[in-house]
Amino acid sequence: MVEIEGLKTAPLYMLPAYKNKKIELSGDAFILSPFDPLNVFRHRLRDFFDFDYQIECFVPQAKRKYGYFSLPVLVGDIFVARMDSKADRKQRTLTVHNLHFEPLKLSKPMIVKLIDALKTFARFNQCQDIIIKKSIIRRRSKL
């Protein structure tokens, strides 16, 4: 069993072989499906990544914050943004309706990896062009 100080969650477990294993992250960027196993347990996203995510296609339009089908964007072990997009395969264009960045500072390498992930996502959706209609950068609130 794994205990994490300060978290009041259900018990967590790991295989004994991983107990002393050093995990190296690539730092790559990924645009995740809302149904990715990482996103399924919202409480774990909040507890481990300080990221509150909800797919909004089931939320009334007037109450949506990030878009109908916003996708989490992960760079390394940090959720950096949420992207609501639509692929028009006939026109071969990926339209990003909303790209909401989390209130954090992105390094140049993170931005490069994010751009690469966006290009990969477009190719996966059989799109050649990318149009970004709206991008929002949230600032950290000052206390």
Side-chain angles (χ1 to χ4, degrees):
M1 187 167 92
V2 177
E3 292 182 27
I4 300 174
E5 190 176 318
L7 290 184
K8 297 175 182 156
T9 63
L12 302 168
Y13 301 91
M14 82 168 114
L15 296 172
Y18 288 99
K19 184 175 181 184
N20 295 316
K21 187 172 185 155
K22 181 159 175 69
I23 298 172
E24 299 278 335
L25 296 177
S26 67
D28 289 341
F30 299 95
I31 298 169
L32 301 175
S33 162
F35 309 110
D36 186 284
L38 191 56
N39 298 322
V40 172
F41 298 102
R42 289 180 63 199
H43 66 282
R44 289 188 184 162
L45 279 177
R46 281 190 304 269
D47 291 345
F48 298 150
F49 298 97
D50 194 25
F51 186 71
D52 191 16
Y53 174 74
Q54 175 182 7
I55 184 170
E56 294 185 340
C57 59
F58 304 113
V59 174
Q61 185 174 3
K63 293 186 177 187
R64 291 182 195 145
K65 294 180 184 178
Y66 305 106
Y68 178 79
F69 202 74
S70 68
L71 306 173
V73 181
L74 179 70
V75 178
D77 63 350
I78 302 169
F79 284 92
V80 300
R82 302 154 202 260
M83 181 180 84
D84 182 38
S85 62
K86 183 169 176 91
D88 182 339
R89 289 178 182 84
K90 287 184 182 177
Q91 298 297 318
R92 298 182 55 96
T93 301
L94 177 72
T95 301
V96 178
H97 297 290
N98 296 299
L99 183 58
H100 291 261
F101 287 94
E102 295 299 301
L104 51 88
K105 184 172 173 75
L106 293 175
S107 67
K108 286 185 182 182
M110 290 170 82
I111 294 168
V112 168
K113 289 185 181 210
L114 179 60
I115 291 167
D116 288 343
L118 190 54
K119 289 177 183 177
T120 300
F121 186 79
R123 280 192 304 274
F124 174 80
N125 282 285
Q126 302 164 13
C127 297
Q128 289 179 329
D129 299 317
I130 301 170
I131 298 169
I132 298 177
K133 289 192 168 187
K134 184 178 174 183
S135 178
I136 297 173
I137 301 172
R138 293 185 352 193
R139 304 279 183 222
R140 287 189 187 261
S141 57
K142 295 180 183 177
L143 299 177

